[in-house]
Amino acid sequence: MYVYILSNAHNTTLYIGVTNNIKRRVYEHKTHVNKGFTYRYNVTKLVWFDFFPDANSAIVKEKQLKKWNRAWKEKLINEMNPEWKDLSDGWYEKE
């Protein structure tokens, strides 16, 4: 299971989610399959993710991150991805 953070182009909005298939789920966000929060705010850039061996630990981490303040979330992202690049770049190109 994966916990992930998406952002918009200007890094002003963050979205935290959990999934068992990170590539599929990010693709769904990018193609606006669901017309929810990420669609409304165009939050499609994967800026952080982590793998967890089971659903329970992933859900615990997701809930923890959702309670964090913005500065703590930014610190976490900066540790993995200091330039806030889209970590999914290249995932969906034809081979």
Side-chain angles (χ1 to χ4, degrees):
M1 294 290 290
Y2 293 88
V3 178
Y4 62 96
I5 302 176
L6 300 176
S7 185
N8 62 347
H10 300 290
N11 300 325
T12 55
T13 305
L14 298 177
Y15 172 85
I16 298 169
V18 64
T19 184
N20 64 346
N21 186 329
I22 188 81
K23 287 186 177 183
R24 175 190 48 80
R25 189 67 182 117
V26 170
Y27 182 79
E28 290 172 353
H29 287 296
K30 288 181 177 295
T31 58
H32 304 295
V33 169
N34 300 309
K35 303 297 184 215
F37 180 88
T38 58
Y39 171 76
R40 271 193 311 276
Y41 295 96
N42 201 29
V43 177
T44 61
K45 183 169 63 168
L46 179 65
V47 293
W48 180 90
F49 67 94
D50 200 1
F51 176 77
F52 294 83
D54 60 85
N56 286 338
S57 58
I59 291 167
V60 166
K61 184 64 173 186
E62 177 197 27
K63 288 180 179 182
Q64 176 190 41
L65 291 177
K66 286 183 174 185
K67 292 179 183 177
W68 283 14
N69 67 44
R70 173 73 187 216
W72 297 349
K73 294 171 191 174
E74 288 180 358
K75 184 177 184 295
L76 180 69
I77 295 164
N78 286 329
E79 289 171 358
M80 172 190 261
N81 185 8
E83 295 180 14
W84 288 55
K85 292 183 178 180
D86 187 344
L87 300 174
S88 69
D89 277 352
W91 284 7
Y92 310 107
E93 296 174 9
K94 292 182 179 180
E95 297 178 306

